[in-house]
């Protein structure tokens, strides 16, 4: 049977960190206005290496005049990963993330002279179902776009230069009903680790040197041309927490503002993947 | 049945496995993919990205969840693993088709598959079946309607399935002709046994 | 490789023992999370087309659970689910889901009341909340390597419950069932039938029972024991049950057929329980079961079942096709040709008619 061998130096540092972590985090759930969690001292040899963002795609055409846009309801889920790897959807965090994001987007898009925000019209049940289906398609398309261009290797790089992802022309009825040129879709997921989860993550790192992934986030944000369904602008963010720190957290209003502003800022250029990964 | 969090977290897993899952080479016109272990060759659509895993191969234009042509070679013994059945070289296309439907329902956990058509065709000159399926499958926290064509035939060594799958919105209908063209190029060849 | 340092290990273990525990989440928040997940899960099932969608059937199921738990009007919401396995489950929101496959295995309303009473017992007993609390504590203090499996067992509100909770739900369901006037013997009869099905299908422990779940025979024993202390007799409600569930049961049977599950078709239909309640053409499915199961002697049994179906329901087209395929395989070409032609006369637009036309063309050449 293999014996458990532990690097003495690492176990000492880990022990110190564990004591500090134990003091820093009781496993209290965040309040409805979460404050920043204490960030531990630098973890041993596990600081994330920032991956250089890929070169941006060629700029899409700048819109002439104000672009009329529909901001669709935010699609977002917030989870907590507890000690033991139990992951639960957290309703109040989910609502915070959605409302923080919606507030920021309404403000940014409303104040941007390039855009005119248009109200979503009342839709029939059939229209709602069609819209729902296209939003789900957007999630799949944006996932595959990120996978292909960011991780697919050389064979997929042509997609960067010719980003032709589309949802098809099925949303034309929205243009006809609302007068909007495009729909903005913002969606994503984040997992925040509890103090206990970080505690155990540190423990495992200290004992065995193995890093067990904990929290993280994946956000996509795109503009869909309502005439033909082309995704005419797109950005995304993939992030991973390291020992409970460093990831995106839309529960906090200031973090949401920072993240959403950062995602929107390159418009009309689509950098396709501003990325922090371990 | 997957829980909500399993579906959302499956996205994270998907991304972590991404480099393993995506086709990695560009298809060049006039250069069919030849599988010696699978005993077939097929010309995928030009400029799609293709890859292989053992005797199986696949190609996609936009991503595996959007428009994927696949060729699966299954040895006869336990070809239908989920329903614990084997195929045989003399199994009729109709019997094969019924087993494939049953396998999909069981293996993919989809009781809600609609069979749009099930007809005899030929594949590489052999009697074959052609299924057209429609189903709603979980994607992240929602569900999306997919359509799939599966063409299948047996050879001395196994069952070969040539299929195309994509969302019913835009991708399946748009790139179905590319699949149909690829299928016409499919040929069986002698299977090279795996080295011992 | 350096050796383990006992002092450090001791320190680490001491810290683990005092680790911040996930079960410290306050009750209100934990319940809110459970409800949120339950709602999301229910929306997803509906979105994927898993709800069977028969309003009359759902209303019937609802009326039974409302009768069982009259003090909890509005708490439960029952839906039939499009799945041919034997299962029913409750989630934290009070929604109860009954697979249409379950309706295929039970005889009457009293047996259905046993199941619904049991599921209601999980909700009344607050088992989802208790389960997740204890599971999180269990995982946090040492089961963290259980990973995905542990999470599934602990967190999913669609998973099975502990043995203790299952026994509690059995007892609570039984008490409510008897109080509502149903026959106390109904409960144990279901489990006896399920045990027989598992034996026929050679399944040791079906997929929907988790490791903690009382085995089927144990549940039969429990319910028999409960029934001993109660006077026999009470409502069975067979006729009304058969009437309301007829379409769902046929759809469930057809789903089993499409899954090519020959063993299950034989297990369900070779007894005297189910077949008499179904339309006469359903003997075709028994024939199909034998054909798919294909053990010694099954082909003869399949042919017998098909031929009986032809006598009872000659207009049921698939029987002709099935016999044609058998006879074609057996080399009885003229007979097969006649049967295929009859099939095409009755169902020219059947999804698989293309194959039959090919057979007819081929057999015509071979028999002329």
């Amino acid at each position: 049977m293999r014996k458990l061998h532990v690097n003495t130096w690492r176990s000492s540092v880990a022990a110190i960190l564990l004591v500090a972590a134990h003091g820093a985090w009781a496993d209290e759930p965040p309040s409805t206005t979460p404050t920043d969690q204490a960030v531990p001292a630098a973890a041993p040899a596990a600081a994330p290496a920032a991956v250089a963002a890929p070169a941006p795609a060629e700029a899409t055409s700048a819109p002439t005049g104000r672009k009329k846009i529909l901001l669709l309801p935010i699609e977002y889920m917030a989870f907590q990963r507890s000690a033991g790897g139990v992951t639960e959807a957290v309703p109040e965090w989910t609502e915070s993330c959605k409302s923080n994001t919606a507030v920021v987007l309404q403000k940014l898009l409303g104040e941007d002279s390039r855009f005119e925000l248009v109200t979503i019209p009342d839709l029939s049940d059939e229209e709602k179902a069609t819209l729902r289906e296209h939003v789900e398609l957007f999630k799949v398309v944006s996932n595959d776009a990120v996978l292909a261009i960011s991780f697919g290797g050389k064979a997929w790089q042509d997609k960067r230069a010719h980003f032709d992802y589309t949802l098809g022309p099925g949303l034309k009825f929205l243009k006809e009903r609302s007068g909007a040129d495009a729909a903005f879709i913002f969606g994503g997921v984040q997992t925040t680790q509890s103090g206990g989860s970080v505690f155990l993550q540190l423990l495992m790192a200290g004992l065995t040197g193995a890093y067990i992934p904990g929290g993280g986030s994946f956000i996509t944000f795109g503009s869909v041309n309502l005439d033909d369904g082309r995704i005419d602008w797109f950005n995304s963010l993939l992030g991973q927490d390291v020992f409970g720190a460093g990831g995106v957290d839309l529960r906090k209003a200031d973090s949401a503002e920072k993240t959403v502003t950062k995602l929107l800022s390159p418009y009309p250029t689509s950098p396709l993947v501003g990325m922090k990964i371990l | 049945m997957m829980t909500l969090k399993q579906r959302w977290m499956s996205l994270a897993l998907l991304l972590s496995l991404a480099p393993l899952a995506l086709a990695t080479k560009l298809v060049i016109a006039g250069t069919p993919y030849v599988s010696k272990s699978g005993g077939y060759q097929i010309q995928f659509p030009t400029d799609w990205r293709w890859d292989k895993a053992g005797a199986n191969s696949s190609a996609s234009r936009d991503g595996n969840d959007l428009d994927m042509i696949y060729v699966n070679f299954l040895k006869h013994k336990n070809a239908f693993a989920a329903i614990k059945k084997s195929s045989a070289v003399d199994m009729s296309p109709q019997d094969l088709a019924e087993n494939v439907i049953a396998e999909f329902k069981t293996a993919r956990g989809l009781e809600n598959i609609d069979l749009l058509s099930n007809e005899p065709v030929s594949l590489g000159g052999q009697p074959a079946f052609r299924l057209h399926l429609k189903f709603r499958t979980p994607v992240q926290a929602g569900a999306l309607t997919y359509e799939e064509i599966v063409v299948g035939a047996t050879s001395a060594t196994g069952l070969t399935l040539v299929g195309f799958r994509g969302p019913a919105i835009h991708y399946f209908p748009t790139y179905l002709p590319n699949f149909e063209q690829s299928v016409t190029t499919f040929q069986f060849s002698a299977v090279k046994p795996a080295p011992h | 490789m350096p050796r383990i340092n006992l002092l450090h290990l001791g320190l680490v273990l001491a810290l683990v023992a005092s680790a911040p525990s996930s079960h410290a989440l306050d009750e209100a928040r934990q319940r809110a999370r459970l409800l949120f997940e339950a709602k999301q899960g229910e929306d997803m099932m509906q979105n994927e087309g898993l709800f069977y969608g028969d309003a009359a059937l759902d209303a019937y199921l609802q009326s039974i659970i409302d009768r069982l738990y009259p003090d909890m009007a509005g708490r439960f919401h029952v839906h039939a689910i499009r799945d041919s396995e034997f299962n029913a489950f409750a989630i934290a929101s009070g929604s109860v889901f009954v697979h249409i496959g379950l309706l295929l295995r039970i005889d009457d309303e009293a047996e259905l009341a046993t199941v619904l009473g049991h599921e209601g017992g999980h909700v009344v007993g607050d088992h989802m909340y208790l389960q997740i609390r204890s599971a999180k504590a269990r995982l946090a203090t040492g089961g963290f390597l259980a990973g995905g499996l542990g999470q599934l067992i602990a967190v999913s509100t669609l998973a099975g419950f502990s043995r203790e909770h299952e026994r509690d739900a059995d007892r609570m369901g039984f008490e409510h069932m008897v109080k509502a006037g149903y026959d106390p013997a109904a409960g144990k009869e279901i489990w006896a039938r399920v045990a027989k099905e598992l034996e026929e299908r050679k399944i040791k422990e079906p997929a929907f029972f988790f490791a903690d779940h009382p085995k089927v025979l144990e549940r039969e024993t429990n319910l028999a024991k409960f029934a001993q202390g109660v006077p026999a007799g009470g409502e069975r409600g067979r006729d009304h049950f058969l009437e309301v569930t007829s379409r769902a049961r046929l759809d469930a049977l057809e789903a089993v057929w499409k899954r090519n599950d020959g063993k299950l078709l034989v297990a369900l239909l070779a007894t005297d329980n189910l077949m008499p309640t179904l339309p006469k053409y359903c003997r075709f499915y028994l024939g199909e079961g034998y054909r798919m199961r294909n053990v010694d002697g099954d082909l003869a049994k399949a042919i017998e079942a098909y031929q009986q179906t032809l006598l009872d329901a000659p207009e049921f087209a698939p029987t002709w096709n099935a016999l044609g395929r058998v006879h074609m395989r057996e080399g009885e070409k003229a007979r097969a040709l006649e049967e295929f032609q009859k099939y095409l006369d009755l169902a020219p637009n059947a999804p698989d008619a293309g194959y039959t036309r090919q057979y007819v063309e081929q057999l015509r050449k071979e028999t002329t």
Side-chain angles (χ1 to χ4, degrees):
Chain A
M1 185 187 294
R2 229 170 57 144
K3 288 182 184 170
L4 176 65
H5 294 294
V6 179
N7 178 286
T8 307
W9 176 83
R10 287 169 96 183
S11 68
S12 299
V13 173
I16 292 166
L17 285 173
L18 287 169
V19 172
H22 187 71
W25 296 289
D27 190 17
E28 282 173 8
S31 64
T32 49
T33 53
T35 55
D36 287 338
Q37 289 181 329
V39 175
V51 175
E58 63 188 29
T60 56
S61 317
T64 52
R66 285 162 76 91
K67 188 170 180 174
K68 292 187 178 176
I69 56 172
L70 286 173
L71 177 59
L72 296 186
I74 308 300
E75 303 267 329
Y76 205 81
M77 285 285 289
F79 293 88
Q80 182 180 40
R81 186 179 173 87
S82 308
V86 172
T87 304
E88 295 172 292
V90 184
E92 64 272 23
W93 294 359
T94 298
E95 283 318 303
S96 291
C97 292
K98 283 183 179 177
S99 71
N100 287 340
T101 305
V103 162
V104 174
L105 277 174
Q106 289 278 348
K107 175 171 161 271
L108 289 176
L109 296 171
E111 290 171 1
D112 193 320
S113 58
R114 294 174 294 180
F115 304 117
E116 180 186 331
L117 273 174
V118 174
T119 312
I120 300 175
D122 286 333
L123 300 176
S124 68
D125 285 348
E126 200 184 315
E127 287 169 335
K128 282 181 190 165
T130 302
L131 175 57
R132 182 79 246 146
E133 195 86 353
H134 282 79
V135 169
E136 296 301 335
L137 178 60
F138 174 81
K139 292 176 190 173
V140 177
V141 167
S142 51
N143 287 350
D144 270 25
V146 170
L147 274 179
I149 297 172
S150 303
F151 300 96
K154 202 169 153 194
W156 288 92
Q157 292 315 301
D158 179 60
K159 281 293 196 189
R160 195 188 291 278
H162 301 101
F163 188 92
D164 60 356
Y165 286 94
T166 179
L167 305 187
L171 289 180
K172 206 159 182 173
F173 74 93
L174 266 186
K175 181 183 172 91
E176 288 155 8
R177 295 285 306 281
S178 68
D181 300 307
F184 272 50
I185 307 178
F186 185 103
V189 57
Q190 70 175 57
T191 302
T192 308
Q193 286 181 262
S194 68
S197 176
V198 177
F199 183 90
L200 284 171
Q201 203 180 28
L202 282 166
L203 174 68
M204 289 304 291
L207 279 178
T208 69
Y211 176 72
I212 297 173
S217 55
F218 179 58
I219 297 171
T220 59
F221 186 20
S223 164
V224 179
N225 182 306
L226 291 177
D227 224 350
D228 55 18
R230 270 183 315 113
I231 297 176
D232 58 18
W233 176 77
F234 180 75
N235 201 353
S236 68
L237 182 65
L238 173 65
Q240 187 155 14
D241 295 352
V242 178
F243 300 134
V248 161
D249 190 353
L250 300 188
R251 295 176 301 166
K252 309 170 194 177
D254 56 348
S255 173
E257 174 143 17
K258 197 169 145 196
T259 302
V260 175
T261 305
K262 184 177 172 182
L263 278 165
L264 184 58
S265 63
Y267 186 95
T269 301
S270 299
L272 184 52
V273 188
M275 211 166 44
K276 296 191 300 176
I277 57 169
L278 189 65
Chain B
M1 218 182 303
M2 287 176 85
T3 64
L4 170 67
K5 75 194 64 53
Q6 283 176 314
R7 293 171 196 197
W8 283 91
M9 290 304 109
S10 71
L11 167 65
L13 180 63
L14 176 70
L15 291 174
S16 70
L17 294 175
L20 307 175
L22 271 181
T24 55
K25 302 175 194 67
L26 264 180
V27 177
I28 299 168
T31 313
Y33 169 65
V34 179
S35 169
K36 289 180 181 164
S37 55
Y40 64 86
Q41 68 175 56
I42 186 168
Q43 176 66 58
F44 291 122
T46 305
D47 291 340
W48 285 36
R49 290 87 182 168
W50 72 275
D51 208 341
K52 65 181 172 93
N56 302 331
S57 56
S58 66
S60 171
R61 183 193 184 276
D62 298 294
N64 287 350
D65 300 308
L66 295 172
D67 39 46
M68 184 172 76
I69 297 173
Y70 61 85
V71 183
N72 288 350
F73 172 74
L74 305 148
K75 291 197 176 138
H76 284 307
K77 190 167 154 67
N78 233 18
F80 308 110
I83 59 171
K84 297 185 175 61
K85 290 191 175 164
S86 299
S87 57
V89 63
D90 59 352
M91 204 176 240
S92 75
Q94 189 172 14
D95 285 340
L96 289 169
E98 286 167 3
N99 281 317
V100 165
I101 293 167
E103 180 74 6
F104 277 19
K105 280 178 180 256
T106 304
R108 298 188 196 176
L110 291 174
E111 290 251 351
N112 60 349
I113 288 183
D114 280 334
L115 177 63
L116 300 181
S117 71
N118 173 11
E119 51 196 10
V121 294
S122 77
L123 177 68
Q126 298 298 314
F129 65 84
R130 183 185 194 274
L131 300 171
H132 184 181
L133 309 169
K134 189 169 180 175
F135 50 92
R136 279 181 80 68
T137 193
V139 292
Q140 298 183 46
L144 192 57
T145 302
Y146 272 74
E147 288 185 52
E148 185 163 351
I149 301 285
V150 188
V151 180
T154 57
S155 58
T157 45
L159 167 66
T160 305
L161 301 177
V162 185
F164 173 62
R165 179 167 65 238
I169 298 174
H170 180 73
Y171 288 88
F172 179 85
T174 302
Y175 299 111
L176 180 60
N178 298 87
F179 166 73
E180 304 286 25
Q181 175 58 33
S182 280
V183 173
T184 64
T185 72
F186 183 92
Q187 292 177 32
F188 286 103
S189 53
V191 171
K192 180 177 172 181
H196 294 289
Chain C
M1 296 276 285
R3 293 189 185 283
I4 194 163
N5 181 309
L6 286 177
L7 177 62
H8 288 126
L9 179 60
L11 175 62
V12 162
L13 287 174
L15 285 168
V16 169
S18 63
S21 165
S22 293
H23 71 245
L25 189 65
D26 69 59
E27 181 176 330
R29 284 211 177 94
Q30 184 64 75
R31 286 188 185 280
R33 290 185 187 190
L34 261 182
L35 272 176
F36 183 63
E37 282 222 11
K39 181 73 179 47
Q40 297 283 331
E42 188 168 342
D43 286 347
M44 261 197 313
M45 282 197 291
Q46 189 162 35
N47 215 356
E48 287 171 45
L50 291 174
F51 281 21
Y52 183 61
D54 181 339
L57 176 59
D58 284 353
Y60 172 64
L61 298 171
Q62 185 71 46
S63 72
I64 296 171
I65 207 168
D66 287 344
R67 176 175 165 181
L68 292 169
Y69 294 94
D71 298 337
M72 297 185 68
R75 179 79 173 91
F76 297 111
H77 306 278
V78 190
H79 302 278
I81 289 292
R82 189 183 299 278
D83 191 297
S84 53
E85 279 295 350
F86 174 87
N87 200 13
F89 58 92
I91 59 177
S93 59
S95 287
V96 176
F97 302 97
V98 177
H99 290 209
I100 57 172
L102 180 137
L103 301 175
L104 208 47
R105 270 81 156 187
I106 62 176
D107 274 1
D108 54 42
E109 188 172 306
E111 292 184 0
L112 185 51
T114 307
V115 172
L116 289 171
H118 172 97
E119 296 307 324
H122 282 312
V123 177
V124 169
D126 208 13
H127 292 164
M128 298 81 165
Y129 174 71
L130 294 173
Q131 184 91 345
I132 189 171
R133 286 292 294 253
S134 73
K136 279 170 92 172
R138 198 165 59 228
L139 286 171
T141 52
F144 60 85
L145 293 175
L149 178 62
Q151 177 179 335
L152 179 65
I153 291 171
V155 181
S156 170
T157 57
L158 304 185
F161 296 97
S162 70
R163 296 182 81 130
E164 189 193 328
H165 287 158
E166 289 294 351
R167 281 194 201 104
D168 282 348
D170 269 343
R171 186 183 41 77
M172 206 180 314
F174 178 80
E175 284 168 3
H176 283 263
M177 191 190 96
V178 168
K179 201 170 169 187
Y182 290 108
D183 183 355
K188 69 178 198 309
E189 289 163 7
I190 307 172
W191 294 112
R193 215 171 297 126
V194 170
K196 199 156 173 257
E197 177 186 319
L198 296 182
E199 201 184 301
E200 170 66 35
R201 293 169 73 186
K202 296 186 176 28
I203 295 175
K204 282 197 171 49
E205 196 73 2
F208 49 85
F209 288 126
F210 285 82
D212 274 346
H213 203 285
K215 291 188 193 304
V216 170
L217 290 176
E218 184 184 322
R219 298 192 71 178
E220 184 190 352
T221 307
N222 284 342
L223 284 159
K225 238 185 248 173
F226 297 152
Q228 272 168 7
V230 176
E235 191 180 324
R236 296 301 297 225
R238 182 169 168 80
D239 289 345
H240 189 43
F241 165 79
L242 291 177
E243 189 193 325
V244 180
T245 62
S246 62
R247 182 73 252 158
R249 286 183 301 117
L250 284 171
D251 284 345
L253 187 62
E254 198 178 307
V256 175
W257 174 60
K258 284 183 179 167
R259 278 207 337 257
N260 269 23
D261 196 338
K263 280 185 193 166
L264 179 53
L265 283 173
V266 172
L268 289 170
L269 296 171
T271 65
D272 292 332
N273 257 76
L274 182 57
M275 189 67 86
T277 73
L278 298 170
K280 294 212 184 299
Y281 70 79
C282 289
R283 192 162 292 278
F284 159 78
Y285 293 114
L286 177 59
E288 287 286 271
Y290 284 126
R291 176 183 67 80
M292 293 169 189
R293 191 177 73 168
N294 199 24
V295 300
D296 286 343
D298 271 356
L299 184 59
K301 288 179 185 171
I303 293 172
E304 188 189 333
Y306 295 144
Q307 285 171 340
Q308 185 61 48
T309 310
L310 283 188
L311 289 174
D312 294 332
E315 299 305 302
F316 185 67
T319 318
W320 292 101
N321 195 40
L323 269 172
R325 288 167 75 180
V326 165
H327 288 134
M328 184 169 70
R329 216 168 283 138
E330 299 288 295
E332 296 186 56
K333 296 180 184 178
R335 203 166 173 183
L337 177 60
E338 199 182 304
E339 284 154 353
F340 284 139
Q341 282 175 326
K342 184 70 181 175
Y343 176 59
L344 289 174
D345 289 341
L346 287 170
N349 299 317
D352 58 356
Y355 295 103
T356 312
R357 288 193 176 89
Q358 258 192 355
Y359 303 148
V360 165
E361 197 181 311
Q362 175 193 331
L363 289 168
R364 272 194 185 134
K365 285 183 197 158
E366 292 173 2
T367 54
T368 49

